[in-house]
Amino acid sequence: MEHVPALDEDLKKTLGPATAKVLAEQLGLHTALDLLHHYPRKYAERGELTALTELADQLDEHVTVVAQVADARILTFNGGRGKRLEVTITDGNGRLQLVFFGAGVHKPHKELLPGTRAMFAGKVGMFNRKLQLSHPAYEPLGADASDQDAATAFAGRLIPIYPACAKLESWKIAKCVDAVLPSARETVDPLPPALREGRGLVPLTEALLKIHRPATKADVEDARQRLKWDEAFVLQVALARRRRADSQLPAVPRRPAPGGLLDAFDAKLPFTLTEGQQSVSKEIFDDLATEHPMHRLLQGEVGSGKTMVALRAMLAVVDCGGQAAMLAPTEVLAQQHHRSITEMMGELAEGGMLGGSDQGTKVVLLTGSMGMPARRKALLDLVTGEAGIVIGTHALIEDKVQFHDLGLVVVDEQHRFGVEQRDALRSKGKQPPHLLVMTATPIPRTVAMTVFGDLETSVLDQLPAGRSPIATHVVPAKDKPHFLARAWERVREEVGKGHQAYVVCPRIGDEETADPKKKSAEADGDKRPPLAVLEIADELRGGALAGLSVEVLHGRMDPADKDDVMRRFAAGEVKVLVATTVIEVGVNVPNSTVMVIMDADRFGVSQLHQLRGRVGRGSAPGLCLLVSEMHEASPARARLAAVAATLDGFELSRIDLEQRREGDVLGQAQSGVRSSLRMLAVIDDEEVIAQAREEATRVVADDPELERLPGLKLALDALLDTEREQYLEKG
């Protein structure tokens, strides 16, 4: 009788230690169940060739292609002592060169004859500006006697192409899957039978067999639809249970006192709040007034006035005797928030101080680099309740920080914080404080529903009156160097009008002597290191911007120096600030009208949109210049063109997410956990996610402990191991 591997059986038993080690280390696959959920990323048909034209987007990545040999020739070098085999393969649309060196040329020279069809796997490289695979592994798909096994295995079927790695090609992974496929019939189905039948979904066992060994494209579609539902539903059940648990927690209702601090603040505002700010504030105030903790996500366009909304929420809490803490990801941002909030509040931020208002409170700053006396004073103000508002970095989370009565936690730029940090701050309240999470990266509704499904969402999409439009242009520095010269002229013109400018670079430039291997690899390939703040600042001081005050700002500077530069830039003494992305969020200097982003292709779409939001914050129009050396037809230039074409952050975030893997969407980089979404694409599968959320809410309301659904409980436990539970809480 055949051995059927148990689902939780270590792959060593089934596949042997060497293969199991590669699967574990390279692909994170440890058990038969892991391997069953390692789905093919695409399928090749025997009559259809895989597009080689897409490889330009996959430089330095391991790929598998199905193609036909067009020609093969052996070249000699070093006076005939060295041999190189060059094989050209084609798929009818594109061509790609394969190269083999030395003693490794003879076997492929015999096997890869013109007309031979094969699967090729290797790392996409660049040589002499041409894409190539060097020493790829290959598996012929011919029909002659020597290829009979491969031909039989794939006869009349779709060829699954698996996400692979250098040490294990796709076809070897396919053989590993064959070994564990019999255990698919042992899987426990997580979907309630009524849901599965009502939605016309195939059973899980059938879905796993069809995804790995489909006979037709319809098989693949059936399997995908089913497996997407599993992922969406289990995730939404986890979030629905968290929402339910949160709604059971007690919290102190915080209602602003009439004629108190909030009213005094509103009365001195020199402008009217936008309709969006007013309606979002109402949602927040309604939440704060309840006896359960608020869990709200406030997302909005760059410059839509989120800080103002958050400040009014904090003042409402202070009004009724509580304290509010704002957690910022960097010292630059914490200092900027502290400065702008104390400026907005004026004498109301000087409660108990000479010249301060009777209705006021103290607003304190707490960061890791503060001197001991200032730090001691801030800690004392917090524990006595003298300070109603504290703004700080992760220093707020330390054990010695105690609050008198913490009522509200505002987390700025949520994606930069691990869940332990957020919870450590929330645990400082006598009862769970209310929570407001802010993000300046607009998130499409479906992503918010998947990632922040346990939070209610408020959106600010109006810009305050007086904000100016920002014109954005791509500057092709390599094709048209005079465009770059003109960019620096525009900076001079803006400074001449009394305005200021940012120049952003991807790298600092004070790194220890970089890894020599990496340097030579960059020299051999066509890449140069990203442009650096310190180098560009020196060039500009001695060249295009000579005579202007040019200063630098980056994350490795001493905090006091950083603060000094920001103060002088805000005061208008510094005309041009050359910086890294430390200025990406929260920095508010209304007099800055122009930004030049060097090597703009090295930044993501959302990051460029964030950076651009630093200009056009006053009454003068903003200008953002995206400098790139990439050629016009490259995907990187298409990305930059998309940023230049729209100021709609929600539209740009869709483009950004469509270009990224779903794992990035869920922030797995922050958590170190593989994405639980292998089949579901949050942008494409909006409908499934929305329907799964409805079904999950219904199931959890009916059976909160899932006692009648053991299969679902099992799937949930697998998703929510300790690490993943934290990951789900937006690690």
Side-chain angles (χ1 to χ4, degrees):
M1 190 179 147
E2 65 169 328
H3 167 68
V4 177
L7 291 169
D8 57 358
E9 189 168 287
D10 193 304
L11 290 170
K12 281 184 199 139
K13 286 189 183 174
T14 318
L15 306 174
T19 304
K21 187 174 185 222
V22 175
L23 286 169
E25 289 177 0
Q26 302 286 315
L27 298 169
L29 306 173
H30 302 275
T31 65
L33 189 62
D34 288 345
L35 191 47
L36 285 174
H37 286 301
H38 186 69
Y39 309 131
R41 62 186 173 83
K42 60 180 179 182
Y43 302 85
E45 292 180 76
R46 291 190 63 69
E48 174 204 288
L49 296 170
T50 308
L52 297 178
T53 48
E54 293 170 12
L55 293 183
D57 296 349
Q58 302 186 51
L59 198 61
D60 292 334
E61 289 191 23
H62 289 280
V63 298
T64 303
V65 296
V66 177
Q68 193 163 319
V69 176
D71 62 60
R73 58 200 178 127
I74 285 189
L75 305 172
T76 58
F77 55 93
N78 273 358
R81 290 193 300 278
K83 285 186 177 177
R84 181 170 83 240
L85 171 64
E86 289 186 357
V87 179
T88 305
I89 58 172
T90 178
D91 64 358
N93 293 316
R95 292 166 85 82
L96 179 68
Q97 194 172 63
L98 316 176
V99 290
F100 301 86
F101 294 97
V105 303
H106 303 297
K107 187 169 180 281
H109 192 223
K110 277 186 205 154
E111 294 178 341
L112 297 177
L113 301 171
T116 304
R117 209 156 168 283
M119 286 200 284
F120 301 92
K123 192 175 185 179
V124 182
M126 179 84 81
F127 183 71
N128 281 345
R129 295 186 177 270
K130 281 189 181 165
L131 292 173
Q132 67 170 26
L133 297 185
S134 179
H135 277 283
Y138 59 89
E139 178 98 330
L141 297 174
D144 58 62
S146 65
D147 288 327
Q148 208 55 52
D149 290 349
T152 308
F154 296 121
R157 295 215 161 197
L158 297 167
I159 303 167
I161 309 288
Y162 286 92
C165 60
K167 294 182 179 173
L168 211 59
E169 295 86 13
S170 169
W171 53 86
K172 289 182 183 166
I173 292 173
K175 286 171 185 167
C176 296
V177 170
D178 281 337
V180 300
L181 209 48
S183 63
R185 51 180 184 259
E186 309 296 319
T187 52
V188 181
D189 202 320
L191 293 191
L195 188 160
R196 195 183 72 231
E197 287 153 21
R199 299 270 172 193
L201 300 167
V202 300
L204 179 57
T205 299
E206 189 182 326
L208 289 169
L209 293 172
K210 282 182 169 178
I211 200 75
H212 289 293
R213 299 295 172 261
T216 62
K217 286 184 177 176
D219 281 356
V220 176
E221 198 39 51
D222 283 352
R224 280 178 190 262
Q225 204 49 30
R226 165 62 216 245
L227 295 167
K228 281 178 181 182
W229 255 94
D230 278 20
E231 289 178 4
F233 182 68
V234 173
L235 186 62
Q236 291 299 341
V237 166
L239 293 168
R241 291 183 78 195
R242 177 153 297 113
R243 281 196 302 277
R244 191 177 182 284
D246 286 341
S247 71
Q248 315 285 314
L249 288 172
V252 178
R254 310 280 180 173
R255 297 182 184 89
L261 183 56
L262 178 62
D263 284 352
F265 175 74
D266 284 350
K268 68 192 283 301
L269 278 181
F271 52 82
T272 310
L273 297 174
T274 65
E275 278 175 39
Q277 285 174 318
Q278 288 173 16
S279 66
V280 167
S281 288
K282 184 182 182 312
E283 289 171 350
I284 291 170
F285 291 151
D286 288 349
D287 280 0
L288 289 173
T290 64
E291 295 182 353
H292 303 292
M294 167 173 79
H295 286 84
R296 188 166 283 280
L297 171 69
L298 171 58
Q299 60 162 329
E301 273 293 5
V302 176
S304 57
K306 290 181 298 296
T307 308
M308 172 61 72
V309 169
L311 174 56
R312 294 183 74 243
M314 293 196 284
L315 295 175
V317 169
V318 175
D319 247 355
C320 50
Q323 291 169 292
M326 181 184 258
L327 187 59
T330 65
E331 293 211 350
V332 167
L333 188 50
Q335 287 161 346
Q336 179 75 34
H337 274 319
H338 181 255
R339 196 175 302 130
S340 61
I341 282 173
T342 48
E343 278 168 14
M344 281 194 273
M345 287 176 65
E347 75 279 1
L348 295 174
E350 297 166 355
M353 293 155 74
L354 199 60
S357 162
D358 293 343
Q359 290 171 306
T361 187
K362 237 185 216 181
V363 179
V364 302
L365 176 69
L366 189 63
T367 64
S369 66
M370 281 169 72
M372 220 39 226
R375 190 182 175 77
R376 238 183 248 119
K377 179 82 181 82
L379 291 172
L380 187 64
D381 286 344
L382 287 180
V383 77
T384 59
E386 188 105 346
I389 294 175
V390 58
I391 295 147
T393 54
H394 56 275
L396 279 177
I397 295 161
E398 291 169 10
D399 290 344
K400 58 181 78 137
V401 179
Q402 299 297 325
F403 289 84
H404 177 66
D405 179 15
L406 181 61
L408 171 66
V409 173
V410 179
V411 181
D412 193 18
E413 288 306 304
Q414 162 66 24
H415 61 280
R416 312 258 192 116
F417 288 100
V419 67
E420 301 88 351
Q421 294 170 310
R422 188 178 92 182
D423 281 355
L425 185 51
R426 285 176 65 194
S427 68
K428 291 180 182 292
K430 288 169 188 159
Q431 278 190 311
H434 298 280
L435 174 72
L436 181 64
V437 169
M438 298 201 296
T439 176
T441 306
I443 305 171
R445 175 178 164 270
T446 173
V447 182
M449 206 190 290
T450 310
V451 187
F452 296 103
D454 58 339
L455 300 170
E456 298 299 324
T457 304
S458 296
V459 176
L460 276 176
D461 49 13
Q462 275 178 298
L463 290 186
R467 279 291 162 88
S468 303
I470 305 168
T472 308
H473 303 285
V474 178
V475 178
K478 209 166 199 172
D479 312 343
K480 300 179 179 172
H482 59 288
F483 275 36
L484 183 56
R486 176 70 188 124
W488 301 127
E489 282 173 22
R490 285 291 291 115
V491 170
R492 276 193 171 281
E493 286 165 15
E494 287 300 309
V495 172
K497 291 180 196 166
H499 298 306
Q500 291 160 277
Y502 296 101
V503 178
V504 180
C505 302
R507 197 164 60 91
I508 296 172
D510 65 349
E511 296 81 359
E512 296 295 307
T513 48
D515 178 355
K517 280 186 194 163
K518 193 173 174 192
K519 273 200 165 168
S520 66
E522 280 178 332
D524 288 349
D526 244 10
K527 287 184 178 174
R528 57 159 174 74
L531 294 172
V533 165
L534 301 177
E535 293 156 16
I536 292 292
D538 285 345
E539 276 178 36
L540 292 175
R541 287 186 191 114
L545 302 183
L548 302 184
S549 58
V550 176
E551 294 273 3
V552 301
L553 182 72
H554 58 76
R556 280 209 287 273
M557 285 166 64
D558 180 89
D561 294 342
K562 272 193 283 198
D563 198 38
D564 177 56
V565 170
M566 270 317 297
R567 274 180 195 286
R568 288 188 294 116
F569 186 64
E573 295 165 28
V574 173
K575 298 303 177 190
V576 180
L577 189 63
V578 184
T580 56
T581 54
V582 291
I583 60 151
E584 183 185 344
V585 286
V587 173
N588 183 24
V589 180
N591 192 41
S592 303
T593 55
V594 60
M595 174 177 284
V596 181
I597 303 179
M598 308 302 291
D599 277 348
D601 48 273
R602 308 253 184 173
F603 299 98
V605 169
S606 292
Q607 199 171 29
L608 290 170
H609 182 56
Q610 279 288 354
L611 287 164
R612 165 172 69 183
R614 301 306 107 209
V615 295
R617 299 176 80 84
S619 52
L623 173 66
C624 179
L625 301 172
L626 307 173
V627 180
S628 173
E629 292 187 357
M630 301 301 280
H631 59 85
E632 198 168 354
S634 66
R637 277 285 292 277
R639 254 193 355 254
L640 298 184
V643 175
T646 179
L647 288 171
D648 182 340
F650 286 90
E651 177 56 31
L652 286 173
S653 68
R654 279 189 83 86
I655 294 167
D656 196 15
L657 296 175
E658 278 162 5
Q659 292 173 347
R660 287 157 53 185
R661 299 191 180 102
E662 63 279 353
D664 298 335
V665 174
L666 292 182
Q668 81 193 54
Q670 278 85 350
S671 66
V673 177
R674 275 185 309 122
S675 167
S676 55
L677 302 190
R678 295 174 181 84
M679 187 60 74
L680 195 71
V682 287
I683 284 289
D684 300 334
D685 297 315
E686 297 194 22
E687 213 171 300
V688 174
I689 291 166
Q691 291 169 0
R693 184 179 170 109
E694 279 172 32
E695 295 276 12
T697 306
R698 198 175 305 131
V699 163
V700 170
D702 184 46
D703 182 6
E705 298 307 313
L706 308 179
E707 284 163 359
R708 299 192 295 280
L709 298 166
L712 176 56
K713 197 166 185 345
L714 208 65
L716 205 59
D717 291 343
L719 176 77
L720 301 181
D721 53 35
T722 320
E723 276 190 302
R724 254 193 206 126
E725 185 144 29
Q726 294 175 353
Y727 158 62
L728 256 183
E729 289 183 340
K730 275 48 96 245

